[in-house]
Amino acid sequence: MRYYWDLIQHFFVSNSRHGTHSPFVYGLASRVIYRIARVRPYTVAVPPDFNPKYSDLLLAILTDMGVQKLACFREDTSADALFADLGSARADQLLEAIRQGKIIVVHEPFQTRQTKQLWRELIQSPDVVVSINLFHFGLLMYREGQRKENFLLRYPFWR
């Protein structure tokens, strides 16, 4: 029940691309997140069993960001982006990956109270310069030259 309340709350407090003050996030939202038609094929290599309900949007975002490979957290450290479930990951391990230049894709950060608390801890860390919260998944990264910001964007439910 709390999950659905968090979803409704996210919808009302989140922004569209016009509520962002970062050229990087605004561009990403315009080119990918709120674009009606997505251009395929995606150029991101993914694990064989990777199939969350938001995979099309995630792969479009990662392709736009120039990511070559997405791997499960702790399975392949050579990947540009790592897919993490906060139920089984620790904050210090995720922050270390971000310090190494990895993009962390967080699956369902609001699934439980524990994952929600860990998500909040991660976005408050000085190592995470940009966080993009789309409710069903989030992106954590370090971007040189950008001030620290946490973005809440509406997930395009119509897709």
Side-chain angles (χ1 to χ4, degrees), residues 4-17:
Y4 295 108
W5 174 251
D6 287 341
L7 177 62
I8 292 166
Q9 182 180 8
H10 177 83
F11 179 78
F12 285 112
V13 299
S14 61
N15 296 311
S16 66
R17 66 180 160 242

Side-chain angles (χ1 to χ4, degrees), residues 8-62:
I8 292 166
Q9 182 180 8
H10 177 83
F11 179 78
F12 285 112
V13 299
S14 61
N15 296 311
S16 66
R17 66 180 160 242
H18 300 293
T20 63
H21 302 290
S22 163
F24 167 71
V25 176
Y26 181 87
L28 186 66
S30 295
R31 287 187 312 271
V32 182
I33 297 172
Y34 296 110
R35 187 176 190 130
I36 303 283
R38 296 218 168 78
V39 179
R40 292 186 189 206
Y42 305 126
T43 57
V44 181
V46 297
D49 58 347
F50 182 77
N51 194 22
K53 62 184 175 183
Y54 50 80
S55 64
D56 274 350
L57 177 59
L58 176 60
L59 294 177
I61 290 170
L62 294 176

Side-chain angles (χ1 to χ4, degrees), residues 56-142:
D56 274 350
L57 177 59
L58 176 60
L59 294 177
I61 290 170
L62 294 176
T63 298
D64 186 75
M65 293 174 70
V67 171
Q68 299 295 313
K69 184 176 183 181
L70 173 69
C72 292
F73 184 67
R74 288 186 271 183
E75 288 183 13
D76 184 357
T77 58
S78 68
D80 303 325
L82 302 172
F83 186 78
D85 184 346
L86 295 183
S88 61
R90 292 191 350 238
D92 60 332
Q93 296 170 328
L94 293 169
L95 292 172
E96 179 59 33
I98 292 169
R99 284 190 286 275
Q100 294 172 4
K102 308 294 182 190
I103 298 169
I104 305 296
V105 178
V106 177
H107 174 68
E108 294 287 354
F110 296 93
Q111 194 168 31
T112 66
R113 287 183 186 184
Q114 177 189 6
T115 59
K116 191 161 86 171
Q117 179 60 34
L118 185 53
W119 171 260
R120 287 183 183 146
E121 182 181 328
L122 289 167
I123 65 173
Q124 290 173 359
S125 169
D127 294 319
V128 176
V129 174
V130 175
S131 70
I132 302 173
N133 177 351
L134 291 158
F135 190 78
H136 296 291
F137 70 98
L139 300 170
L140 304 171
M141 66 194 87
Y142 179 82

